[in-house]
């Protein structure tokens, strides 16, 4: 019974950092990190697509890469739309 408790404790300790909030930086730093992650996702998908065309990657990896890219692009478009909406709202405010 103690071995199971110890194993559960180790698994919890290993999983805990993944659930903690990351960074307490500024909004600018968060935007830069977001742009880097977006770029990395697109580059990884492109490399996977090229490997699939030459026979170096399986079709499942290609589908996963394309799905991740689609999700990243949809998120970027949503953020852009929200920024444009906020900017337009600011322009409508009386001075």
């Amino acid at each position: 019974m103690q071995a199971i408790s110890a194993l559960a404790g180790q698994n919890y300790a290993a999983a805990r950092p993944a659930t903690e909030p990351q960074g307490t930086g500024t909004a600018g730093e968060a935007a830069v990190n977001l742009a880097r992650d977006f770029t990395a996702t697109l580059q990884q998908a492109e490399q996977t697509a090229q490997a699939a065309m030459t026979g170096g990657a399986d079709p499942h990896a290609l589908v996963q890469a394309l799905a991740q890219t689609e999700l990243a692009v949809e998120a970027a478009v949503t953020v852009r739309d929200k920024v444009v909406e906020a900017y337009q709202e600011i322009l409508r405010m009386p001075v």
Side-chain angles (χ1 to χ4, degrees):
M1 187 67 163
Q2 290 179 344
I4 294 173
S5 298
L7 183 61
Q10 289 174 352
N11 289 341
Y12 175 76
R16 185 171 177 190
T19 60
E20 291 179 356
Q22 295 181 359
T24 57
T26 64
E29 291 173 0
V32 168
N33 290 337
L34 182 66
R36 285 185 186 145
D37 290 345
F38 179 73
T39 303
T41 300
L42 293 181
Q43 288 174 345
Q44 181 182 9
E46 184 177 354
Q47 290 171 356
T48 304
Q50 289 175 352
M53 284 184 227
T54 60
D58 62 333
H60 182 69
L62 178 62
V63 170
Q64 281 184 324
L66 291 176
Q68 288 177 341
T69 302
E70 182 181 6
L71 183 63
V73 169
E74 286 177 2
V77 168
T78 301
V79 169
R80 182 211 56 195
D81 291 346
K82 291 291 184 181
V83 168
V84 168
E85 183 181 327
Y87 179 72
Q88 288 174 344
E89 189 66 31
I90 290 170
L91 289 177
R92 284 188 221 121
M93 288 182 177
V95 177

